[in-house]
Amino acid sequence: MDDECDYLLKAVMVGDSAVGKSNLLSRFARDEFRLDSRPTIGVEFAYRNVRVRDKLIKAQIWDTAGQERFRAITSSYYRGASGAMLVYDMTRRSTFESLTRWLEELRRFGDHDMVIVLIGNKSDLGEAREVAEEEGRGFAELEGIFFLETSALNNTNVEEAFLEMIHRIHKITS
Ligand code: GDP
Ligand code: MG
């Protein structure tokens, strides 16, 4: 860890395959987007340093490695994670319907006070929408988690979503 960082936090990306997890992360960490889907092989993670008031936090964010089938992700993926980005694709209803099972996994393997942010990604594809924004918001309200629609392609709300998660984690741990 860099000497100048005050602490390291771990967060994980979860959600069905091809919802845009890797592109959200590369947008946040490196401001990059890829049109081709490139399933990650093995576990990957990215870092970004974020200043929250007087602290410099090193955010280490893990990306699922094309193992998005349920139970395929091992518990070590979740171990020590204080945050999770739970992602669905608003143009594919099935990815929204998987959320309950992903939440079960997060609550089984994650810390009990894990900060979860729900992301409805691909908001740039409005004409192909299969999940209303209100449905996403309603689900998040029921579960008591934060919600945003994003576009990794247009870089809409990506920064906001990650920073919200990091700020909430900081509030809990400080
Ligand atoms: P992952 O399997 O969840 O990691 O998904 P990827 O990040 O690999 O993205 C899957 C596909 O969706 C790729 O073809 C991406 O280019 C595309 N994609 C990801 N995010 C967006 C987005 O916000 N808008 C659009 N239109 N396509 C996206
Ligand atoms: Mg991926």
Side-chain angles (χ1 to χ4, degrees), residues 91-121:
T91 72
R92 274 191 299 142
R93 180 138 208 113
S94 61
T95 68
F96 181 73
E97 282 158 3
S98 296
L99 291 176
T100 308
R101 281 181 293 170
W102 283 115
L103 270 179
E104 272 171 32
E105 289 234 327
L106 284 173
R107 292 190 167 137
R108 178 180 320 220
F109 296 113
D111 292 358
H112 68 282
D113 57 354
M114 184 187 251
V115 171
I116 302 169
V117 169
L118 178 65
I119 299 293
N121 189 41

Side-chain angles (χ1 to χ4, degrees), residues 22 38 40 63-64 68:
S22 298
R38 179 184 53 117
T40 324
D63 190 13
T64 50
E68 289 95 337

